[in-house]
Amino acid sequence: MSQGLVLTNLAVSIDEKQILKGVSLVVNPGETHAIMGPNGSGKSTLAYALAGHPSYTILSGSKVTLDGEDIISLSPDERAQKGLFLAFQYPVEVPGVSVQNFLRQAYQARFASEPRRLFKTVLEFRKHLQAIADELEISQAFLTRGLNEGFSGGEKKQLEILQLAVLEPKYVVLDETDSGLDIDAIKKVAKAVALLQKKLSLGVLVITHYQRILQYLKPDFVHVVVAGKIKQSGGPQLVEQLEKTGYAALKE
Ligand code: ADP
Ligand code: MG
């Protein structure tokens, strides 16, 4: 069985308009790949398509496998159970549910098919979560907050990082484009992802049009998407090169 999150010739349309025009990419466990590219090039489309968002149509000839298993026909929940994590797969605002209860439900759903991993009591899960929060330097008070009730951008990211740690995925897709985080928050998120990556041997696909997060979350590979295709791939030095030249040289 071939390991990795493997995209082969991924083509995606939305409202009859083809956005991705054949993206091929292999993210192995423990690797970090950065997807960069100008606005409107299809980066978020890639993230939504991997998430299984119903508005995005995967065109024939596309293949996406997770450790050898085809995931295109799977629902977003099924993809999560296989170990794929997408930062925005959860509803934005669920008033009345605390962070810790939300995370407990997410945990139970993720490991539903592995009964030995389930916590028998609410208290046991909370202990588990408190240890995770400590490790990630997230305050205990955050755990009892109402989910997304007045969360700042940084707090939303903090929740995503907790989700990531709780769900213990194999592969994670982070779409940072609309994050609007300050430098300290970016640093904190990147540090937490790097820590989890080490611990879980995560394969990370980080989609960004800033280079800033990549200073902390060092990519092994960088891919530049232009007009729905990977126009250039390279090592981390490609980030610096793009800083100097911009995307203009890569445009069609
Ligand atoms: P990026 O994240 O790289 O900035 P997106 O994936 O968000 O780019 O968008 C890629 C292209 O798809 C853009 O031209 C955008 O206008 C188009 N697009 C995105 N969402 C929709 C939609 N819901 N309906 C029609 N076109 C869309
Ligand atoms: Mg985007």
Side-chain angles (χ1 to χ4, degrees):
M1 205 165 73
S2 58
Q3 281 245 305
L5 176 63
V6 182
L7 283 54
T8 312
N9 203 21
L10 179 62
V12 176
S13 71
I14 180 157
D15 293 342
E16 317 270 299
K17 185 180 162 201
Q18 186 169 356
I19 309 293
L20 292 186
K21 297 170 181 161
V23 170
S24 298
L25 187 66
V26 180
V27 181
N28 285 304
E31 286 179 355
T32 299
H33 291 244
I35 301 270
M36 303 187 77
N39 287 327
S41 59
K43 302 183 300 296
S44 292
T45 301
L46 176 64
Y48 282 116
L50 289 175
H53 192 292
S55 307
Y56 294 78
T57 308
I58 313 286
L59 302 174
S60 66
S62 308
K63 202 170 164 194
V64 181
T65 58
L66 195 153
D67 293 343
E69 202 173 339
D70 194 334
I71 60 163
I72 284 183
S73 59
L74 302 183
S75 70
D77 283 349
E78 288 167 331
R79 293 176 197 211
Q81 282 192 2
K82 301 283 178 201
L84 184 63
F85 178 90
L86 293 123
F88 41 58
Q89 71 194 77
Y90 294 100
V92 184
E93 199 130 343
V94 191
V97 177
S98 66
V99 166
Q100 60 190 6
N101 285 345
F102 166 73
L103 290 173
R104 193 169 71 87
Q105 282 162 23
Y107 180 92
Q108 304 289 85
R110 158 79 169 99
F111 294 109
S113 61
E114 298 169 59
R116 278 195 327 202
R117 298 207 53 166
L118 300 179
F119 290 97
K120 288 189 190 65
T121 67
V122 171
L123 220 60
E124 276 177 66
F125 176 77
R126 286 188 185 167
K127 272 193 195 143
H128 172 68
L129 181 61
Q130 281 163 5
I132 288 174
D134 277 348
E135 194 177 6
L136 299 174
E137 294 170 31
I138 291 172
S139 83
Q140 299 291 326
F142 184 71
L143 305 179
T144 54
R145 287 271 301 273
L147 194 65
N148 289 322
E149 283 170 8
F151 275 10
S152 68
E155 286 167 342
K156 282 183 184 156
K157 289 291 155 189
Q158 200 154 280
L159 177 65
E160 286 180 4
I161 290 305
L162 276 174
Q163 282 178 38
L164 184 60
V166 163
L167 296 177
E168 297 179 38
K170 295 177 184 158
Y171 302 96
V172 52
V173 179
L174 300 168
D175 189 353
E176 290 295 326
T177 40
D178 56 356
S179 55
L181 297 181
D182 63 37
I183 296 169
D184 292 340
I186 289 176
K187 212 166 157 178
K188 192 167 178 184
V189 166
K191 264 176 73 180
V193 172
L195 183 81
L196 293 169
Q197 181 168 39
K198 239 180 156 176
K199 207 165 127 180
L200 305 172
S201 194
L202 272 178
V204 176
L205 187 60
V206 53
I207 299 172
T208 181
H209 56 205
Y210 318 104
Q211 44 83 39
R212 183 163 285 147
I213 193 166
L214 303 177
Q215 292 172 354
Y216 306 109
L217 203 61
K218 300 228 178 314
D220 303 296
F221 302 96
V222 178
H223 313 277
V224 188
V225 173
V226 180
K229 282 188 197 149
I230 293 182
K231 268 282 149 78
Q232 194 178 357
S233 294
Q237 78 287 349
L238 188 50
V239 180
E240 282 155 48
Q241 188 190 318
L242 289 168
E243 276 295 296
K244 288 197 199 108
T245 60
Y247 296 120
L250 292 167
K251 288 221 168 124
E252 283 177 320

